[in-house]
Amino acid sequence: GSKAGYVPDLRRLGDFLRVPGGRDFVIKVPGVMGSGLDDAQVAEVTNWVLSTISADSVPPQHQAYAAAEVTRARAAPLADVMAERRRLLEQARQQGLVID
């Protein structure tokens, strides 16, 4: 992660899944959408990150991403990534959750 670059600590990526809209955000950020991976690969890599690097932060009810979900996310990209991130961080703060 990089606070200066607004990149979350991947060890805590699962915290976004605890906030409404966070699940979409995780796969809609430009680094994911612009990765060059196809939808199935994005789902696979994201699931791997969440089940390994981020495992301690993933909520117990989390369901793995599927390629179809990534396809839908690509059809509705984030218009303002930073505004959405700020909105999610504020929601998290209101829930008593700190996301770096």
Side-chain angles (χ1 to χ4, degrees):
S2 166
K3 286 184 182 186
Y6 300 104
V7 177
D9 181 344
L10 289 181
R11 294 170 297 183
R12 303 302 314 167
L13 188 63
D15 288 336
F16 279 98
L17 304 175
R18 299 173 187 277
V19 181
R23 181 178 175 90
D24 279 346
F25 182 76
V26 167
I27 58 173
K28 284 185 171 185
V29 294
V32 175
M33 290 288 102
S35 67
L37 300 175
D38 66 30
D39 297 345
Q41 291 169 323
V42 167
E44 186 176 329
V45 169
T46 304
N47 290 330
W48 179 84
V49 169
L50 290 169
S51 68
T52 57
I53 298 169
S54 306
D56 290 341
S57 66
V58 175
Q61 75 278 11
H62 169 69
Q63 297 293 312
Y65 286 93
E69 185 175 5
V70 177
T71 301
R72 287 189 301 274
R74 287 186 196 262
L78 291 173
D80 187 338
V81 176
M82 292 310 300
E84 180 64 6
R85 187 174 197 279
R86 281 191 299 274
R87 185 186 73 75
L88 293 170
L89 295 178
E90 177 57 24
Q91 277 189 328
R93 188 191 63 72
Q94 290 175 5
Q95 291 177 223
L97 180 64
V98 177
I99 300 176
D100 285 332

